[in-house]
Amino acid sequence: MAATALSNEKAWFDRSAIANAETKYYEYLSKINSVPSQCTLASEISKARQHIKNSLERMDGIAALAASPGAELLDRLSSVEKENEKLRSIIDGLNNLVIDLHDRVKSLESGKVAPAAKPAAAPAAAPAKKAAAKDDEDDDDVDLFGSEEEDEDDAAAQLREKRLAEYAAKKSKKPALIAKSNVILDIKPWDDETDMKQMETEVRKISADGLLLGAAKLVPLAYGIHKLQMSCVIEDDKISVDWLQEEIEKIEDFVQSVDIAAFNKI
C-alpha cells in the first residue's frame, strides 16, 4: 500500500520543476510589489472615474450658462440688434437713391424731359399765347418798311464790329510763342595736332539772328584725338540745323565734320 501510494505521488520525483515554479512565483510577486501604486489597474480606474466626473461637472456648468445668459451678453445682443436695424434703414435709403438715379439716367438717355420740368413749361406757354394774340391784334400798327428794326440791326452790327476790332487789337498785342530748340553738336578735328582752342574761337565767330552758342567742352574721341562738343539754342523759324552745320564745316582748316549729338525742342 505504501509503495502504491508513493507510485502515484510524483512531487518528490519532479522536485526541480516545483522549485523552478516556486522561484518564478516569487519573482512575479516581487515585480508586482515593485510597480508604483499609480500605475496599477486600480489607480487607472480611479483616474478614469475622476476624469469622467470632471467632464460631467464642466458640461453642467456650460449648460447652466447657456440656460441663463449673463447681463453683459444680453446687452451685446441688444446693441447688435439696434445696429442691424440702423444698417437696414441705411441700405433701404441707398437702394431707393440708386433706383431714382437709375430712372433719371434712363430718362436722360432716352431724350425725354424730366417730370419736374413739365410744370414750369406750362406757365411759360400762356404768356407766349398772349403775346401771339397781341401781335395779331397789333398787325395794323406795324410799320411795313421796318425802319426801326433796321436801325436796331445796324446798331447791333456796329457794336459787333467794334468788339471784334477790340478783340483783334488785344490779340495782336500778345507776344507770339517762339519755337526754339536745344542742339548739341559734335565738332571733329582733322587730327590730334589741331588747335582745339582756336577751333572753338573760329566756331564762336558764327553769329546770326536766332542763334545762341552755349558752353563747350572737349570729349575724348580716339587715339588721343578730342572732339569739341558745343551746345546752342536756335529759333526754329530763323535758323536751321543744316545751315549751322554747313557754316561750321566751312572752317576747313580746323573742322573735319559736324554731327548732331542731341536735338530737343524747348
Side-chain angles (χ1 to χ4, degrees), residues 116-190:
K118 291 181 179 180
K129 291 180 180 179
K130 291 181 180 179
K134 187 176 181 180
D135 292 339
D136 293 337
E137 292 176 358
D138 297 340
D139 284 340
D140 297 336
D141 298 334
V142 174
D143 188 3
L144 298 176
F145 296 99
S147 58
E148 294 180 359
E149 293 181 358
E150 290 178 357
D151 294 339
E152 292 179 358
D153 292 340
D154 293 338
Q158 291 177 0
L159 180 61
R160 183 171 63 253
E161 293 295 335
K162 182 179 178 181
R163 290 181 179 177
L164 289 173
E166 290 176 354
Y167 175 75
K170 185 177 179 181
K171 188 176 181 181
S172 63
K173 292 180 181 179
K174 292 184 178 180
L177 184 62
I178 300 174
K180 296 182 180 180
S181 301
N182 184 17
V183 184
I184 298 177
L185 302 172
D186 284 344
I187 306 171
K188 299 177 183 178
W190 289 104

Side-chain angles (χ1 to χ4, degrees), residues 222-237:
Y223 303 105
I225 302 174
H226 291 73
K227 63 182 179 181
L228 180 65
Q229 193 171 77
M230 179 178 290
S231 63
C232 61
V233 177
I234 61 173
E235 294 183 13
D236 297 341
D237 295 337

Side-chain angles (χ1 to χ4, degrees), residues 12-245:
W12 299 103
F13 299 103
D14 297 333
R15 183 62 182 173
S16 60
I18 293 172
N20 291 332
E22 187 177 1
T23 303
K24 291 180 179 180
Y25 175 71
Y26 284 110
E27 289 178 354
Y28 174 72
L29 290 179
S30 64
K31 289 180 180 180
I32 292 176
N33 293 329
S34 63
V35 175
S37 59
Q38 61 269 22
C39 297
T40 60
L41 181 60
S43 63
E44 294 295 331
I45 292 172
S46 64
K47 284 182 181 180
R49 288 179 178 176
Q50 187 64 30
H51 181 69
I52 294 170
K53 184 178 180 181
N54 294 335
S55 300
L56 291 175
E57 289 177 355
R58 291 178 182 175
M59 292 299 295
D60 293 338
I62 294 171
L65 288 174
S68 59
E72 184 178 359
L73 182 59
L74 292 175
D75 293 338
R76 289 184 179 180
L77 288 174
S78 62
S79 63
V80 169
E81 289 178 355
K82 291 179 181 179
E83 290 180 358
N84 191 13
E85 291 178 358
K86 290 181 180 179
L87 290 174
R88 284 181 180 177
S89 62
I90 292 171
I91 290 171
D92 293 337
L94 291 175
N95 190 17
N96 295 331
L97 181 60
V98 170
I99 293 172
D100 189 13
L101 290 175
H102 179 71
D103 294 338
R104 289 184 181 181
V105 171
K106 190 174 180 180
S107 63
L108 290 174
E109 289 179 352
S110 61
K112 294 180 180 179
V113 181
K118 291 181 179 180
K129 291 180 180 179
K130 291 181 180 179
K134 187 176 181 180
D135 292 339
D136 293 337
E137 292 176 358
D138 297 340
D139 284 340
D140 297 336
D141 298 334
V142 174
D143 188 3
L144 298 176
F145 296 99
S147 58
E148 294 180 359
E149 293 181 358
E150 290 178 357
D151 294 339
E152 292 179 358
D153 292 340
D154 293 338
Q158 291 177 0
L159 180 61
R160 183 171 63 253
E161 293 295 335
K162 182 179 178 181
R163 290 181 179 177
L164 289 173
E166 290 176 354
Y167 175 75
K170 185 177 179 181
K171 188 176 181 181
S172 63
K173 292 180 181 179
K174 292 184 178 180
L177 184 62
I178 300 174
K180 296 182 180 180
S181 301
N182 184 17
V183 184
I184 298 177
L185 302 172
D186 284 344
I187 306 171
K188 299 177 183 178
W190 289 104
D191 50 28
D192 57 346
E193 296 180 356
T194 303
D195 190 353
M196 302 301 292
K197 291 183 179 180
Q198 186 63 30
M199 183 174 70
E200 182 180 353
T201 303
E202 295 295 330
V203 172
R204 290 190 181 277
K205 290 181 181 179
I206 301 173
S207 63
D209 186 18
L211 173 63
L212 177 63
L213 297 176
K217 63 179 180 179
L218 296 178
V219 179
L221 190 59
Y223 303 105
I225 302 174
H226 291 73
K227 63 182 179 181
L228 180 65
Q229 193 171 77
M230 179 178 290
S231 63
C232 61
V233 177
I234 61 173
E235 294 183 13
D236 297 341
D237 295 337
K238 297 179 180 180
I239 303 296
S240 67
V241 180
D242 295 335
W243 175 85
L244 183 58
Q245 283 181 290

Side-chain angles (χ1 to χ4, degrees), residues 238-255:
K238 297 179 180 180
I239 303 296
S240 67
V241 180
D242 295 335
W243 175 85
L244 183 58
Q245 283 181 290
E246 292 176 358
E247 290 295 320
I248 295 174
E249 288 177 353
K250 287 180 180 180
I251 310 172
E252 297 178 352
D253 295 338
F254 300 95
V255 179

